[in-house]
Amino acid sequence: MARKVLIGEVSSDKMDKTVVVMVERRRRHPIYRKVVRTIRRFKAHDETNACHVGDIVRIEESRPLSKEKHWVVTEIIERASEA
């Protein structure tokens, strides 16, 4: 069985070797036909502490690493712009 892969934005990097990734999903409501935006937050393992807030990352499902952490950052797709 293939592992799930998601793409999202890092919303917090305050923990050691852990980032919080927000994954947005848009879908059309079955009755009202309005586009509904749903945001889920996942804790992901970041071994080298390379991710920062605003980065777009790819995360992959893994074995449970802690109580709430079941994802691993596999790639940083886009760095946050330095303002």
Side-chain angles (χ1 to χ4, degrees), residues 9-51:
E9 181 180 346
V10 176
S11 63
S12 173
D13 63 349
K14 295 181 185 296
M15 295 170 276
D16 186 34
K17 296 188 178 182
T18 304
V19 292
V20 178
V21 179
M22 289 190 323
V23 177
E24 181 180 307
R25 178 176 166 233
R26 292 174 185 255
R27 63 180 188 87
R28 191 167 296 279
H29 191 280
I31 296 172
Y32 301 116
R33 299 296 179 206
K34 179 178 178 171
V35 175
V36 180
R37 190 176 96 176
T38 307
I39 295 175
R40 294 206 50 199
R41 293 162 53 97
F42 298 97
K43 288 190 174 75
H45 185 67
D46 178 21
E47 183 64 38
T48 59
N49 286 324
C51 297

Side-chain angles (χ1 to χ4, degrees), residues 58-83:
R58 178 176 286 122
I59 58 176
E60 183 178 286
E61 195 175 33
S62 71
R63 66 180 178 82
L65 300 167
S66 68
K67 180 181 175 182
E68 298 179 336
K69 191 162 60 166
H70 308 111
W71 297 83
V72 175
V73 175
T74 55
E75 177 187 359
I76 300 173
I77 296 171
E78 181 181 324
R79 289 278 183 191
S81 60
E82 308 273 335

